[in-house]
Amino acid sequence: MNAWCALTFFWLAYFWHGTLSCPALCKCYPRRAEVVCNEVSLTEYPTEGLPKNTVLLTIQFTNITSISECHLNATPLLQELHLYSNHLQNLSPHLLRGVPHLHTLDLTGNQLTDQPADVFSHTALRSLVLKNNLIENADAEWLPDNSSLTWLDLSGNRLTKIPTALLQKLPRLEILDLSNNQLEKISANSLDSLTKLERLNLQNNKVDMLDASVLQHTRNLTYLFLSHNKLDKLSHNLFQELAQLRVLSLEENQLSHIPSGLLDQLSSLDEQGLDLTSNPWLCDTKVEYLWRWLQKNHMKVFLPETIICAGPQSLAGRSVMSLTDSDLKLQS
């Protein structure tokens, strides 16, 4: 048994490139080739002592303000880099040149703004998370043409427009999160290149209209989040190409009517997959289409009884589901 333990120790030491060293304020897990640094007092990137064969590195809740290509050269086999909730402001040009195996980079909760060209080039990144930073412009020069990205998260920043030029470099993108920004307009061709897109999150923005053709090329969409915007009308053919859509959230907008036929295009909705709550529905004769659709498809709607009339005054507060032919002044 003692001989086996000695052999195991020797093997681990060899695999860890001849050393069991670990940076101060960090924890190293040789079996997983993982390093975790989780100390507020850390002020500089912990290059010294990092095992060269590290594949997973997490540095979180520290006072680090910058990271450079030279820092990452210490771990040439790195595959995942998670830099949550630090104080990063600056990333060096060609940041990833020394980590060609890196596929996941998470920079959530830092203070990043504009960054240099090619900052995320030189490796086949698949996941890039820039959530909760101070980014106003997502530059197309950040990434190479024909990028391998399948997941891009730019939520919680200060974007005022869709980064169309950047998106044109992402033909493999499956998940795009632009929620919690300051987007106002979604131009007609801004998503045309995203033919593999499956999840699109635009909630908590200031979007007041969607061009009828904006979703015509995103035919693989299964989840679409549009809640907490300022949408007051929808084109009757907005969803006509979304035959695979399973979840659609439209709550907390300014919708008063649904165009006739709009929801008939969404035959793949999950049970409770459609949310229409907290809109100022006007229960006049134009609400007939929504009323009839809800009667037949209420199982597909989240809390259908809470879809409430905002007017006219005689019906205010009534559930659309509860209305009658007489309420809507429909001829029998």
Side-chain angles (χ1 to χ4, degrees), residues 25-319:
L25 304 178
C26 299
K27 294 182 179 179
C28 295
Y29 304 92
R31 291 182 182 274
R32 303 195 297 268
E34 178 181 2
V35 178
V36 177
C37 306
N38 185 21
E39 293 288 342
V40 172
S41 56
L42 195 65
T43 58
E44 295 184 359
Y45 190 89
T47 304
E48 186 175 348
L50 274 176
K52 286 190 175 181
N53 70 326
T54 301
V55 298
L56 175 55
L57 175 58
T58 300
I59 301 174
Q60 56 189 2
F61 306 110
T62 77
N63 288 315
I64 294 174
T65 59
S66 64
I67 181 173
S68 71
E69 176 186 350
C70 292
H71 291 139
L72 296 186
N73 285 343
T75 51
L77 301 180
L78 199 62
Q79 297 178 22
E80 295 187 34
L81 178 58
H82 301 275
L83 297 168
Y84 314 124
S85 299
N86 297 291
H87 288 80
L88 291 172
Q89 301 173 21
N90 301 307
L91 306 177
S92 74
H94 310 288
L95 176 67
L96 308 180
R97 184 154 47 188
V99 283
H101 305 287
L102 192 75
H103 59 72
T104 299
L105 177 58
D106 192 336
L107 290 155
T108 296
N110 284 282
Q111 298 173 20
L112 299 174
T113 54
D114 294 340
Q115 298 302 318
D118 295 316
V119 62
F120 303 125
S121 297
H122 306 294
T123 184
L125 271 183
R126 297 199 297 271
S127 298
L128 177 58
V129 181
L130 294 162
K131 180 178 181 179
N132 294 344
N133 278 279
L134 305 173
I135 297 168
E136 296 183 3
N137 296 290
D139 197 323
E141 300 305 314
W142 288 355
L143 288 160
D145 292 336
N146 199 29
S147 167
S148 298
L149 272 190
T150 60
W151 179 11
L152 175 60
D153 188 342
L154 282 162
S155 63
N157 280 283
R158 298 178 177 179
L159 299 176
T160 57
K161 59 182 179 180
I162 293 283
T164 303
L166 177 66
L167 297 182
Q168 288 173 348
K169 293 186 170 186
L170 310 180
R172 298 172 179 82
L173 199 66
E174 298 174 2
I175 301 172
L176 176 59
D177 194 337
L178 295 169
S179 62
N180 298 291
N181 277 282
Q182 300 172 32
L183 301 175
E184 296 182 0
K185 303 292 182 183
I186 313 295
S187 60
N189 64 343
S190 56
L191 306 177
D192 284 2
S193 60
L194 306 182
T195 58
K196 295 186 181 297
L197 196 65
E198 297 178 5
R199 290 174 178 253
L200 175 59
N201 192 344
L202 294 169
Q203 66 185 18
N204 284 308
N205 279 287
K206 301 177 181 180
V207 179
D208 58 9
M209 67 170 291
L210 288 172
D211 188 274
S213 61
V214 72
L215 301 172
Q216 65 180 350
H217 295 290
T218 57
R219 295 170 184 167
N220 287 311
L221 268 185
T222 53
Y223 293 83
L224 176 57
F225 302 99
L226 296 169
S227 61
H228 295 266
N229 276 284
K230 297 183 177 181
L231 295 169
D232 59 5
K233 62 179 64 175
L234 301 173
S235 169
H236 74 280
N237 58 352
L238 180 62
F239 305 132
Q240 67 180 1
E241 301 295 339
L242 306 186
Q244 301 184 56
L245 198 67
R246 296 172 53 191
V247 172
L248 172 61
S249 67
L250 284 163
E251 73 272 20
E252 293 283 353
N253 277 283
Q254 298 298 315
L255 298 172
S256 57
H257 295 106
I258 289 285
S260 181
L262 178 74
L263 301 177
D264 297 335
Q265 303 162 17
L266 303 176
S267 58
S268 296
L269 283 174
D270 284 349
E271 185 173 325
Q272 299 188 34
L274 175 63
D275 193 341
L276 295 171
T277 57
S278 300
N279 280 281
W281 300 108
L282 181 57
C283 294
D284 54 14
T285 54
K286 292 182 180 180
V287 84
E288 180 183 358
Y289 167 71
L290 175 60
W291 173 65
R292 293 192 185 280
W293 190 90
L294 288 172
Q295 304 297 325
K296 296 178 181 179
N297 299 280
H298 64 275
M299 294 297 291
K300 295 184 176 182
V301 182
F302 177 71
L303 299 178
E305 67 281 358
T306 64
I307 300 173
I308 303 298
C309 301
Q313 186 174 355
S314 60
L315 297 176
R318 288 273 302 275
S319 166

